[in-house]
């Protein structure tokens, strides 16, 4: 079992969410100085981690945190 715990998910949305837009703008500007666990988690990196976990199928419980998914 793999548990994925992203931070703010980055990517395009069909609907407008003011709070997420503001948070994304602030985190985008401050990203380089913030710890990785507070950075935006791009949707494609989350998807890649989920696919990798499904394909690998490693036994046990695995946790993928926001720091591992953060934008570089």
């Amino acid at each position: 079992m793999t548990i994925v715990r992203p931070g703010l998910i980055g990517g395009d949305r069909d609907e407008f969410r003011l709070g997420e837009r503001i948070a994304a703008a602030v985190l985008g500007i401050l990203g380089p100085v913030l710890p990785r666990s507070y950075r935006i988690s791009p949707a494609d990196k989350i998807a890649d981690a989920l696919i990798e976990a499904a394909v690998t199928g490693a036994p046990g419980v695995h946790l993928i945190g926001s720091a591992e998914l953060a934008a570089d």
Side-chain angles (χ1 to χ4, degrees):
M1 175 171 67
T2 300
I3 300 169
V4 178
R5 297 178 60 195
L8 179 67
I9 300 172
D12 295 329
R13 293 190 182 270
D14 292 335
E15 59 189 76
F16 179 78
R17 295 181 178 188
L18 180 60
E20 284 185 358
R21 294 265 175 111
I22 293 170
V26 170
L27 292 176
I29 292 169
L30 297 177
V33 297
L34 291 175
R36 290 185 63 81
S37 60
Y38 290 103
R39 296 181 191 172
I40 295 172
S41 300
D44 59 338
K45 287 187 84 170
I46 298 167
D48 289 343
L50 290 168
I51 291 169
E52 179 65 27
V55 170
T56 303
V61 177
H62 306 277
L63 176 64
I64 300 173
S66 60
E68 296 172 71
L69 300 167
D72 294 324

